[in-house]
Amino acid sequence: MVQLLARLPGLGPRSARKAALALIKRREELLVPLASALTEAINKIVVCQECGNVDTTSPCSICSNPKRDRSMIVVVEEVGDLWALERAGVVTALYHVLGGHLSPLDGIGPDRLNIKALVERAGSGDVNEVLLALNATVEGQSTAHYLTEQLSGAGVEVSRLAQGVPIGGELDYLDEGTLAAAIRSRKRL
Amino acid sequence: MVQLLARLPGLGPRSARKAALALIKRREELLVPLASALTEAINKIVVCQECGNVDTTSPCSICSNPKRDRSMIVVVEEVGDLWALERAGVVTALYHVLGGHLSPLDGIGPDRLNIKALVERAGSGDVNEVLLALNATVEGQSTAHYLTEQLSGAGVEVSRLAQGVPIGGELDYLDEGTLAAAIRSRKRL
């Protein structure tokens, strides 16, 4: 158990031992419920065949929600990014989870990501806009570049997130690239 | 000396005592040069009458540089913000330092900031655009709002920095406001 716990992100060998002891000590309130939650996850959690989200149903609760705007697809790298956007409550449209970003050095090419299904969804006729909500990292942006090319024949508008000063950001603490992007994309008032 | 050092930002009473001892111990290599640097600052450093920057001349080396684009004024809150933009090398135009932001609770109204001179400069005829490069904080943005009103009669374009995902930013670590701004101002590709 310690060895498996240590393989969780954020837990080292020492904190894994501590976690294991806490589980054993608090058998009824922690160990038993966690064991049954993990078993439930094995049986119930599935990957949505539409968008790649994880949920207890496929299509997931977002894809099957009739209130969602079906004319737009928000493309994210990971399910964690989808959760971040849902927490913020800023997306009313559907998602598409790539499952990572292109990374030739790690052997992750286009065929390893959920790209083919995205191009098919974008060309289905319902969709007007594909918003590439990828990280502002080198890998995220080169993936966005590749996707833009792949989507060029789908007859949809392709957009990306705005880059600039984060809310609450003070100029003195920002890096050069962000300051340059913020000036380049300045907005008329 | 300890009491005065303790009033510097970033130094508490304890670190001020340490700094004082270090100065006394290293008399020739630290105390004497620092004393003369401070004296030199008293005699030489002036506030630029044009833009509010600090330099050894007025107009400052930026205002008097013939290579600078005189059709645009970049408005910043503090000289530290001007330095940040100069470090990034992303501004080829002139600056205007407000000397802070509006803060009614602290009794800082428009008359306490370098606003009148800005409106005069903007209306002088040479200027086409005023870029409000203020912090993305509540105070910075309400100051930007006030300045936009004040500049409405000057016949110049008023713009602000783009807000969005900072370069290198990952969605999972960004706050709701930034995600909302990044989606709202998304760019067509």
Side-chain angles (χ1 to χ4, degrees), chain A residues 30-68:
Chain A
L30 207 57
L31 180 57
V32 174
L34 183 62
S36 76
L38 293 177
T39 313
E40 206 182 326
I42 293 168
N43 297 326
K44 288 203 182 160
I45 290 183
V46 288
V47 173
C48 173
Q49 292 299 308
E50 292 286 316
C51 73
N53 188 14
V54 292
D55 204 337
T56 53
T57 55
S58 173
C60 70
S61 56
I62 295 172
C63 284
S64 56
N65 183 344
K67 287 183 185 158
R68 290 277 174 162

PDB file of all heavy atoms in Angstrom, chain A residues 30-68:
ATOM      1  N   LEU A  30     -11.806   6.331   7.469  1.00  0.00           N
ATOM      2  CA  LEU A  30     -10.986   6.714   6.323  1.00  0.00           C
ATOM      3  C   LEU A  30     -10.711   5.524   5.393  1.00  0.00           C
ATOM      4  O   LEU A  30     -11.001   5.593   4.195  1.00  0.00           O
ATOM      5  CB  LEU A  30      -9.656   7.305   6.824  1.00  0.00           C
ATOM      6  CG  LEU A  30      -8.956   8.305   5.902  1.00  0.00           C
ATOM      7  CD1 LEU A  30      -9.858   9.480   5.576  1.00  0.00           C
ATOM      8  CD2 LEU A  30      -7.671   8.801   6.561  1.00  0.00           C
ATOM      9  N   LEU A  31     -10.192   4.439   5.945  1.00  0.00           N
ATOM     10  CA  LEU A  31      -9.750   3.325   5.098  1.00  0.00           C
ATOM     11  C   LEU A  31     -10.922   2.654   4.387  1.00  0.00           C
ATOM     12  O   LEU A  31     -10.891   2.468   3.158  1.00  0.00           O
ATOM     13  CB  LEU A  31      -8.995   2.289   5.968  1.00  0.00           C
ATOM     14  CG  LEU A  31      -8.458   1.056   5.252  1.00  0.00           C
ATOM     15  CD1 LEU A  31      -7.532   1.451   4.114  1.00  0.00           C
ATOM     16  CD2 LEU A  31      -7.720   0.160   6.242  1.00  0.00           C
ATOM     17  N   VAL A  32     -11.986   2.336   5.148  1.00  0.00           N
ATOM     18  CA  VAL A  32     -13.128   1.649   4.556  1.00  0.00           C
ATOM     19  C   VAL A  32     -13.819   2.517   3.500  1.00  0.00           C
ATOM     20  O   VAL A  32     -14.038   2.064   2.367  1.00  0.00           O
ATOM     21  CB  VAL A  32     -14.108   1.186   5.669  1.00  0.00           C
ATOM     22  CG1 VAL A  32     -15.374   0.600   5.055  1.00  0.00           C
ATOM     23  CG2 VAL A  32     -13.427   0.179   6.581  1.00  0.00           C
ATOM     24  N   PRO A  33     -14.135   3.814   3.837  1.00  0.00           N
ATOM     25  CA  PRO A  33     -14.779   4.627   2.802  1.00  0.00           C
ATOM     26  C   PRO A  33     -13.902   4.834   1.573  1.00  0.00           C
ATOM     27  O   PRO A  33     -14.409   4.826   0.445  1.00  0.00           O
ATOM     28  CB  PRO A  33     -15.044   5.973   3.489  1.00  0.00           C
ATOM     29  CG  PRO A  33     -14.787   5.778   4.925  1.00  0.00           C
ATOM     30  CD  PRO A  33     -14.043   4.510   5.125  1.00  0.00           C
ATOM     31  N   LEU A  34     -12.575   4.998   1.769  1.00  0.00           N
ATOM     32  CA  LEU A  34     -11.702   5.212   0.612  1.00  0.00           C
ATOM     33  C   LEU A  34     -11.665   3.963  -0.268  1.00  0.00           C
ATOM     34  O   LEU A  34     -11.746   4.061  -1.504  1.00  0.00           O
ATOM     35  CB  LEU A  34     -10.283   5.587   1.072  1.00  0.00           C
ATOM     36  CG  LEU A  34      -9.292   5.910  -0.066  1.00  0.00           C
ATOM     37  CD1 LEU A  34      -9.745   7.124  -0.867  1.00  0.00           C
ATOM     38  CD2 LEU A  34      -7.890   6.162   0.480  1.00  0.00           C
ATOM     39  N   ALA A  35     -11.584   2.793   0.381  1.00  0.00           N
ATOM     40  CA  ALA A  35     -11.566   1.545  -0.386  1.00  0.00           C
ATOM     41  C   ALA A  35     -12.837   1.410  -1.214  1.00  0.00           C
ATOM     42  O   ALA A  35     -12.793   1.051  -2.403  1.00  0.00           O
ATOM     43  CB  ALA A  35     -11.415   0.355   0.556  1.00  0.00           C
ATOM     44  N   SER A  36     -13.990   1.756  -0.612  1.00  0.00           N
ATOM     45  CA  SER A  36     -15.226   1.585  -1.375  1.00  0.00           C
ATOM     46  C   SER A  36     -15.347   2.667  -2.449  1.00  0.00           C
ATOM     47  O   SER A  36     -15.885   2.411  -3.528  1.00  0.00           O
ATOM     48  CB  SER A  36     -16.442   1.558  -0.442  1.00  0.00           C
ATOM     49  OG  SER A  36     -16.751   2.848  -0.012  1.00  0.00           O
ATOM     50  N   ALA A  37     -14.811   3.867  -2.168  1.00  0.00           N
ATOM     51  CA  ALA A  37     -14.838   4.920  -3.192  1.00  0.00           C
ATOM     52  C   ALA A  37     -13.990   4.508  -4.389  1.00  0.00           C
ATOM     53  O   ALA A  37     -14.371   4.739  -5.545  1.00  0.00           O
ATOM     54  CB  ALA A  37     -14.340   6.236  -2.609  1.00  0.00           C
ATOM     55  N   LEU A  38     -12.840   3.876  -4.123  1.00  0.00           N
ATOM     56  CA  LEU A  38     -11.977   3.434  -5.227  1.00  0.00           C
ATOM     57  C   LEU A  38     -12.657   2.332  -6.033  1.00  0.00           C
ATOM     58  O   LEU A  38     -12.610   2.328  -7.262  1.00  0.00           O
ATOM     59  CB  LEU A  38     -10.625   2.956  -4.684  1.00  0.00           C
ATOM     60  CG  LEU A  38      -9.729   4.036  -4.050  1.00  0.00           C
ATOM     61  CD1 LEU A  38      -8.459   3.412  -3.486  1.00  0.00           C
ATOM     62  CD2 LEU A  38      -9.360   5.110  -5.065  1.00  0.00           C
ATOM     63  N   THR A  39     -13.312   1.414  -5.331  1.00  0.00           N
ATOM     64  CA  THR A  39     -14.022   0.334  -6.025  1.00  0.00           C
ATOM     65  C   THR A  39     -15.152   0.901  -6.877  1.00  0.00           C
ATOM     66  O   THR A  39     -15.362   0.493  -8.031  1.00  0.00           O
ATOM     67  CB  THR A  39     -14.590  -0.658  -4.994  1.00  0.00           C
ATOM     68  OG1 THR A  39     -13.575  -0.972  -4.058  1.00  0.00           O
ATOM     69  CG2 THR A  39     -15.062  -1.932  -5.673  1.00  0.00           C
ATOM     70  N   GLU A  40     -15.867   1.880  -6.300  1.00  0.00           N
ATOM     71  CA  GLU A  40     -16.951   2.523  -7.036  1.00  0.00           C
ATOM     72  C   GLU A  40     -16.399   3.187  -8.305  1.00  0.00           C
ATOM     73  O   GLU A  40     -17.024   3.124  -9.366  1.00  0.00           O
ATOM     74  CB  GLU A  40     -17.616   3.562  -6.132  1.00  0.00           C
ATOM     75  CG  GLU A  40     -19.056   3.841  -6.499  1.00  0.00           C
ATOM     76  CD  GLU A  40     -19.650   4.922  -5.603  1.00  0.00           C
ATOM     77  OE1 GLU A  40     -19.280   4.983  -4.402  1.00  0.00           O
ATOM     78  OE2 GLU A  40     -20.465   5.701  -6.115  1.00  0.00           O
ATOM     79  N   ALA A  41     -15.230   3.842  -8.151  1.00  0.00           N
ATOM     80  CA  ALA A  41     -14.612   4.521  -9.296  1.00  0.00           C
ATOM     81  C   ALA A  41     -14.305   3.510 -10.400  1.00  0.00           C
ATOM     82  O   ALA A  41     -14.553   3.771 -11.589  1.00  0.00           O
ATOM     83  CB  ALA A  41     -13.340   5.242  -8.863  1.00  0.00           C
ATOM     84  N   ILE A  42     -13.789   2.337 -10.010  1.00  0.00           N
ATOM     85  CA  ILE A  42     -13.478   1.294 -10.992  1.00  0.00           C
ATOM     86  C   ILE A  42     -14.722   0.920 -11.786  1.00  0.00           C
ATOM     87  O   ILE A  42     -14.701   0.805 -13.012  1.00  0.00           O
ATOM     88  CB  ILE A  42     -12.921   0.034 -10.289  1.00  0.00           C
ATOM     89  CG1 ILE A  42     -11.563   0.333  -9.681  1.00  0.00           C
ATOM     90  CG2 ILE A  42     -12.827  -1.146 -11.269  1.00  0.00           C
ATOM     91  CD1 ILE A  42     -11.064  -0.749  -8.737  1.00  0.00           C
ATOM     92  N   ASN A  43     -15.829   0.773 -11.060  1.00  0.00           N
ATOM     93  CA  ASN A  43     -17.041   0.287 -11.709  1.00  0.00           C
ATOM     94  C   ASN A  43     -17.804   1.364 -12.453  1.00  0.00           C
ATOM     95  O   ASN A  43     -18.459   1.078 -13.445  1.00  0.00           O
ATOM     96  CB  ASN A  43     -17.974  -0.337 -10.657  1.00  0.00           C
ATOM     97  CG  ASN A  43     -17.327  -1.549 -10.021  1.00  0.00           C
ATOM     98  OD1 ASN A  43     -16.592  -2.281 -10.687  1.00  0.00           O
ATOM     99  ND2 ASN A  43     -17.561  -1.745  -8.732  1.00  0.00           N
ATOM    100  N   LYS A  44     -17.737   2.604 -11.932  1.00  0.00           N
ATOM    101  CA  LYS A  44     -18.660   3.612 -12.479  1.00  0.00           C
ATOM    102  C   LYS A  44     -18.038   4.614 -13.437  1.00  0.00           C
ATOM    103  O   LYS A  44     -18.725   5.129 -14.308  1.00  0.00           O
ATOM    104  CB  LYS A  44     -19.292   4.388 -11.316  1.00  0.00           C
ATOM    105  CG  LYS A  44     -20.307   3.551 -10.560  1.00  0.00           C
ATOM    106  CD  LYS A  44     -21.283   4.434  -9.834  1.00  0.00           C
ATOM    107  CE  LYS A  44     -22.273   3.624  -9.024  1.00  0.00           C
ATOM    108  NZ  LYS A  44     -22.894   4.435  -7.978  1.00  0.00           N
ATOM    109  N   ILE A  45     -16.752   4.960 -13.223  1.00  0.00           N
ATOM    110  CA  ILE A  45     -16.218   6.075 -13.997  1.00  0.00           C
ATOM    111  C   ILE A  45     -15.822   5.632 -15.394  1.00  0.00           C
ATOM    112  O   ILE A  45     -15.090   4.673 -15.576  1.00  0.00           O
ATOM    113  CB  ILE A  45     -15.051   6.748 -13.251  1.00  0.00           C
ATOM    114  CG1 ILE A  45     -15.630   7.485 -12.045  1.00  0.00           C
ATOM    115  CG2 ILE A  45     -14.305   7.722 -14.161  1.00  0.00           C
ATOM    116  CD1 ILE A  45     -14.642   8.253 -11.244  1.00  0.00           C
ATOM    117  N   VAL A  46     -16.323   6.375 -16.369  1.00  0.00           N
ATOM    118  CA  VAL A  46     -16.021   6.083 -17.761  1.00  0.00           C
ATOM    119  C   VAL A  46     -15.557   7.366 -18.451  1.00  0.00           C
ATOM    120  O   VAL A  46     -15.822   8.463 -17.979  1.00  0.00           O
ATOM    121  CB  VAL A  46     -17.264   5.535 -18.508  1.00  0.00           C
ATOM    122  CG1 VAL A  46     -17.580   4.114 -18.054  1.00  0.00           C
ATOM    123  CG2 VAL A  46     -18.464   6.450 -18.313  1.00  0.00           C
ATOM    124  N   VAL A  47     -14.869   7.180 -19.558  1.00  0.00           N
ATOM    125  CA  VAL A  47     -14.453   8.316 -20.362  1.00  0.00           C
ATOM    126  C   VAL A  47     -15.549   8.603 -21.371  1.00  0.00           C
ATOM    127  O   VAL A  47     -16.017   7.693 -22.063  1.00  0.00           O
ATOM    128  CB  VAL A  47     -13.117   8.014 -21.074  1.00  0.00           C
ATOM    129  CG1 VAL A  47     -12.753   9.119 -22.054  1.00  0.00           C
ATOM    130  CG2 VAL A  47     -12.012   7.828 -20.048  1.00  0.00           C
ATOM    131  N   CYS A  48     -15.968   9.879 -21.437  1.00  0.00           N
ATOM    132  CA  CYS A  48     -17.034  10.264 -22.365  1.00  0.00           C
ATOM    133  C   CYS A  48     -16.588  10.025 -23.805  1.00  0.00           C
ATOM    134  O   CYS A  48     -15.534  10.491 -24.221  1.00  0.00           O
ATOM    135  CB  CYS A  48     -17.394  11.739 -22.141  1.00  0.00           C
ATOM    136  SG  CYS A  48     -18.563  12.365 -23.358  1.00  0.00           S
ATOM    137  N   GLN A  49     -17.404   9.304 -24.564  1.00  0.00           N
ATOM    138  CA  GLN A  49     -17.047   8.998 -25.953  1.00  0.00           C
ATOM    139  C   GLN A  49     -17.118  10.235 -26.846  1.00  0.00           C
ATOM    140  O   GLN A  49     -16.518  10.272 -27.920  1.00  0.00           O
ATOM    141  CB  GLN A  49     -17.997   7.930 -26.515  1.00  0.00           C
ATOM    142  CG  GLN A  49     -17.824   6.563 -25.870  1.00  0.00           C
ATOM    143  CD  GLN A  49     -16.426   6.013 -26.083  1.00  0.00           C
ATOM    144  OE1 GLN A  49     -15.937   5.960 -27.204  1.00  0.00           O
ATOM    145  NE2 GLN A  49     -15.761   5.626 -25.001  1.00  0.00           N
ATOM    146  N   GLU A  50     -17.852  11.249 -26.390  1.00  0.00           N
ATOM    147  CA  GLU A  50     -17.970  12.476 -27.177  1.00  0.00           C
ATOM    148  C   GLU A  50     -16.744  13.366 -27.009  1.00  0.00           C
ATOM    149  O   GLU A  50     -16.101  13.751 -27.966  1.00  0.00           O
ATOM    150  CB  GLU A  50     -19.207  13.276 -26.722  1.00  0.00           C
ATOM    151  CG  GLU A  50     -20.535  12.622 -27.031  1.00  0.00           C
ATOM    152  CD  GLU A  50     -20.859  12.711 -28.509  1.00  0.00           C
ATOM    153  OE1 GLU A  50     -20.658  13.791 -29.081  1.00  0.00           O
ATOM    154  OE2 GLU A  50     -21.307  11.694 -29.084  1.00  0.00           O
ATOM    155  N   CYS A  51     -16.443  13.707 -25.731  1.00  0.00           N
ATOM    156  CA  CYS A  51     -15.494  14.796 -25.491  1.00  0.00           C
ATOM    157  C   CYS A  51     -14.236  14.362 -24.750  1.00  0.00           C
ATOM    158  O   CYS A  51     -13.277  15.121 -24.670  1.00  0.00           O
ATOM    159  CB  CYS A  51     -16.181  15.922 -24.714  1.00  0.00           C
ATOM    160  SG  CYS A  51     -16.499  15.531 -22.976  1.00  0.00           S
ATOM    161  N   GLY A  52     -14.215  13.161 -24.158  1.00  0.00           N
ATOM    162  CA  GLY A  52     -13.026  12.730 -23.435  1.00  0.00           C
ATOM    163  C   GLY A  52     -13.015  13.097 -21.968  1.00  0.00           C
ATOM    164  O   GLY A  52     -12.040  12.842 -21.264  1.00  0.00           O
ATOM    165  N   ASN A  53     -14.096  13.728 -21.485  1.00  0.00           N
ATOM    166  CA  ASN A  53     -14.244  14.040 -20.059  1.00  0.00           C
ATOM    167  C   ASN A  53     -14.409  12.724 -19.275  1.00  0.00           C
ATOM    168  O   ASN A  53     -14.770  11.704 -19.851  1.00  0.00           O
ATOM    169  CB  ASN A  53     -15.489  14.913 -19.882  1.00  0.00           C
ATOM    170  CG  ASN A  53     -15.639  15.456 -18.474  1.00  0.00           C
ATOM    171  OD1 ASN A  53     -14.709  15.407 -17.678  1.00  0.00           O
ATOM    172  ND2 ASN A  53     -16.822  15.972 -18.185  1.00  0.00           N
ATOM    173  N   VAL A  54     -14.123  12.731 -17.966  1.00  0.00           N
ATOM    174  CA  VAL A  54     -14.418  11.551 -17.163  1.00  0.00           C
ATOM    175  C   VAL A  54     -15.681  11.823 -16.347  1.00  0.00           C
ATOM    176  O   VAL A  54     -15.853  12.891 -15.778  1.00  0.00           O
ATOM    177  CB  VAL A  54     -13.250  11.150 -16.225  1.00  0.00           C
ATOM    178  CG1 VAL A  54     -12.074  10.649 -17.026  1.00  0.00           C
ATOM    179  CG2 VAL A  54     -12.839  12.288 -15.329  1.00  0.00           C
ATOM    180  N   ASP A  55     -16.568  10.842 -16.301  1.00  0.00           N
ATOM    181  CA  ASP A  55     -17.860  11.011 -15.628  1.00  0.00           C
ATOM    182  C   ASP A  55     -18.408   9.612 -15.353  1.00  0.00           C
ATOM    183  O   ASP A  55     -17.752   8.618 -15.633  1.00  0.00           O
ATOM    184  CB  ASP A  55     -18.794  11.809 -16.550  1.00  0.00           C
ATOM    185  CG  ASP A  55     -19.896  12.515 -15.759  1.00  0.00           C
ATOM    186  OD1 ASP A  55     -20.208  12.062 -14.644  1.00  0.00           O
ATOM    187  OD2 ASP A  55     -20.436  13.507 -16.262  1.00  0.00           O
ATOM    188  N   THR A  56     -19.586   9.562 -14.779  1.00  0.00           N
ATOM    189  CA  THR A  56     -20.187   8.248 -14.527  1.00  0.00           C
ATOM    190  C   THR A  56     -21.051   7.784 -15.698  1.00  0.00           C
ATOM    191  O   THR A  56     -21.564   6.675 -15.683  1.00  0.00           O
ATOM    192  CB  THR A  56     -21.050   8.289 -13.250  1.00  0.00           C
ATOM    193  OG1 THR A  56     -21.975   9.360 -13.381  1.00  0.00           O
ATOM    194  CG2 THR A  56     -20.185   8.518 -12.022  1.00  0.00           C
ATOM    195  N   THR A  57     -21.241   8.680 -16.672  1.00  0.00           N
ATOM    196  CA  THR A  57     -22.018   8.303 -17.856  1.00  0.00           C
ATOM    197  C   THR A  57     -21.263   8.705 -19.116  1.00  0.00           C
ATOM    198  O   THR A  57     -20.408   9.597 -19.078  1.00  0.00           O
ATOM    199  CB  THR A  57     -23.380   9.028 -17.886  1.00  0.00           C
ATOM    200  OG1 THR A  57     -23.127  10.449 -17.790  1.00  0.00           O
ATOM    201  CG2 THR A  57     -24.267   8.607 -16.734  1.00  0.00           C
ATOM    202  N   SER A  58     -21.583   8.069 -20.220  1.00  0.00           N
ATOM    203  CA  SER A  58     -21.054   8.483 -21.513  1.00  0.00           C
ATOM    204  C   SER A  58     -22.201   8.457 -22.500  1.00  0.00           C
ATOM    205  O   SER A  58     -22.823   7.412 -22.668  1.00  0.00           O
ATOM    206  CB  SER A  58     -19.946   7.535 -21.973  1.00  0.00           C
ATOM    207  OG  SER A  58     -19.555   7.857 -23.294  1.00  0.00           O
ATOM    208  N   PRO A  59     -22.579   9.572 -23.139  1.00  0.00           N
ATOM    209  CA  PRO A  59     -21.966  10.900 -23.038  1.00  0.00           C
ATOM    210  C   PRO A  59     -22.026  11.458 -21.610  1.00  0.00           C
ATOM    211  O   PRO A  59     -22.948  11.131 -20.859  1.00  0.00           O
ATOM    212  CB  PRO A  59     -22.805  11.757 -23.983  1.00  0.00           C
ATOM    213  CG  PRO A  59     -23.722  10.863 -24.717  1.00  0.00           C
ATOM    214  CD  PRO A  59     -23.700   9.547 -24.073  1.00  0.00           C
ATOM    215  N   CYS A  60     -21.067  12.308 -21.273  1.00  0.00           N
ATOM    216  CA  CYS A  60     -20.951  12.841 -19.911  1.00  0.00           C
ATOM    217  C   CYS A  60     -22.077  13.844 -19.632  1.00  0.00           C
ATOM    218  O   CYS A  60     -22.833  14.211 -20.530  1.00  0.00           O
ATOM    219  CB  CYS A  60     -19.595  13.506 -19.723  1.00  0.00           C
ATOM    220  SG  CYS A  60     -19.397  15.047 -20.638  1.00  0.00           S
ATOM    221  N   SER A  61     -22.156  14.284 -18.370  1.00  0.00           N
ATOM    222  CA  SER A  61     -23.254  15.184 -17.980  1.00  0.00           C
ATOM    223  C   SER A  61     -23.175  16.520 -18.702  1.00  0.00           C
ATOM    224  O   SER A  61     -24.198  17.195 -18.859  1.00  0.00           O
ATOM    225  CB  SER A  61     -23.235  15.393 -16.460  1.00  0.00           C
ATOM    226  OG  SER A  61     -21.980  15.873 -16.061  1.00  0.00           O
ATOM    227  N   ILE A  62     -21.989  16.919 -19.156  1.00  0.00           N
ATOM    228  CA  ILE A  62     -21.886  18.177 -19.914  1.00  0.00           C
ATOM    229  C   ILE A  62     -22.393  17.960 -21.338  1.00  0.00           C
ATOM    230  O   ILE A  62     -23.230  18.719 -21.837  1.00  0.00           O
ATOM    231  CB  ILE A  62     -20.434  18.702 -19.912  1.00  0.00           C
ATOM    232  CG1 ILE A  62     -20.013  19.094 -18.486  1.00  0.00           C
ATOM    233  CG2 ILE A  62     -20.286  19.891 -20.851  1.00  0.00           C
ATOM    234  CD1 ILE A  62     -18.552  19.450 -18.333  1.00  0.00           C
ATOM    235  N   CYS A  63     -21.906  16.895 -21.990  1.00  0.00           N
ATOM    236  CA  CYS A  63     -22.322  16.631 -23.377  1.00  0.00           C
ATOM    237  C   CYS A  63     -23.825  16.373 -23.486  1.00  0.00           C
ATOM    238  O   CYS A  63     -24.441  16.681 -24.501  1.00  0.00           O
ATOM    239  CB  CYS A  63     -21.563  15.435 -23.933  1.00  0.00           C
ATOM    240  SG  CYS A  63     -19.862  15.827 -24.367  1.00  0.00           S
ATOM    241  N   SER A  64     -24.419  15.790 -22.417  1.00  0.00           N
ATOM    242  CA  SER A  64     -25.839  15.458 -22.520  1.00  0.00           C
ATOM    243  C   SER A  64     -26.730  16.544 -21.927  1.00  0.00           C
ATOM    244  O   SER A  64     -27.946  16.379 -21.873  1.00  0.00           O
ATOM    245  CB  SER A  64     -26.102  14.121 -21.816  1.00  0.00           C
ATOM    246  OG  SER A  64     -25.669  14.189 -20.480  1.00  0.00           O
ATOM    247  N   ASN A  65     -26.131  17.663 -21.482  1.00  0.00           N
ATOM    248  CA  ASN A  65     -26.919  18.766 -20.912  1.00  0.00           C
ATOM    249  C   ASN A  65     -27.545  19.584 -22.045  1.00  0.00           C
ATOM    250  O   ASN A  65     -26.831  20.204 -22.833  1.00  0.00           O
ATOM    251  CB  ASN A  65     -25.986  19.644 -20.060  1.00  0.00           C
ATOM    252  CG  ASN A  65     -26.738  20.766 -19.363  1.00  0.00           C
ATOM    253  OD1 ASN A  65     -27.873  21.084 -19.716  1.00  0.00           O
ATOM    254  ND2 ASN A  65     -26.103  21.356 -18.380  1.00  0.00           N
ATOM    255  N   PRO A  66     -28.887  19.620 -22.134  1.00  0.00           N
ATOM    256  CA  PRO A  66     -29.517  20.330 -23.253  1.00  0.00           C
ATOM    257  C   PRO A  66     -29.337  21.846 -23.183  1.00  0.00           C
ATOM    258  O   PRO A  66     -29.558  22.536 -24.179  1.00  0.00           O
ATOM    259  CB  PRO A  66     -31.001  19.943 -23.122  1.00  0.00           C
ATOM    260  CG  PRO A  66     -31.171  19.554 -21.695  1.00  0.00           C
ATOM    261  CD  PRO A  66     -29.868  18.991 -21.241  1.00  0.00           C
ATOM    262  N   LYS A  67     -28.924  22.354 -22.012  1.00  0.00           N
ATOM    263  CA  LYS A  67     -28.741  23.813 -21.894  1.00  0.00           C
ATOM    264  C   LYS A  67     -27.406  24.294 -22.458  1.00  0.00           C
ATOM    265  O   LYS A  67     -27.177  25.492 -22.574  1.00  0.00           O
ATOM    266  CB  LYS A  67     -28.821  24.227 -20.423  1.00  0.00           C
ATOM    267  CG  LYS A  67     -30.243  24.181 -19.877  1.00  0.00           C
ATOM    268  CD  LYS A  67     -30.286  24.654 -18.455  1.00  0.00           C
ATOM    269  CE  LYS A  67     -31.678  24.481 -17.873  1.00  0.00           C
ATOM    270  NZ  LYS A  67     -31.630  24.441 -16.401  1.00  0.00           N
ATOM    271  N   ARG A  68     -26.517  23.349 -22.763  1.00  0.00           N
ATOM    272  CA  ARG A  68     -25.199  23.737 -23.264  1.00  0.00           C
ATOM    273  C   ARG A  68     -25.273  24.207 -24.718  1.00  0.00           C
ATOM    274  O   ARG A  68     -26.003  23.640 -25.530  1.00  0.00           O
ATOM    275  CB  ARG A  68     -24.246  22.543 -23.171  1.00  0.00           C
ATOM    276  CG  ARG A  68     -23.871  22.192 -21.752  1.00  0.00           C
ATOM    277  CD  ARG A  68     -22.748  23.091 -21.303  1.00  0.00           C
ATOM    278  NE  ARG A  68     -22.420  22.917 -19.905  1.00  0.00           N
ATOM    279  CZ  ARG A  68     -21.271  23.321 -19.369  1.00  0.00           C
ATOM    280  NH1 ARG A  68     -20.365  23.921 -20.100  1.00  0.00           N
ATOM    281  NH2 ARG A  68     -21.048  23.161 -18.090  1.00  0.00           N
TER     282      ARG A  68
END
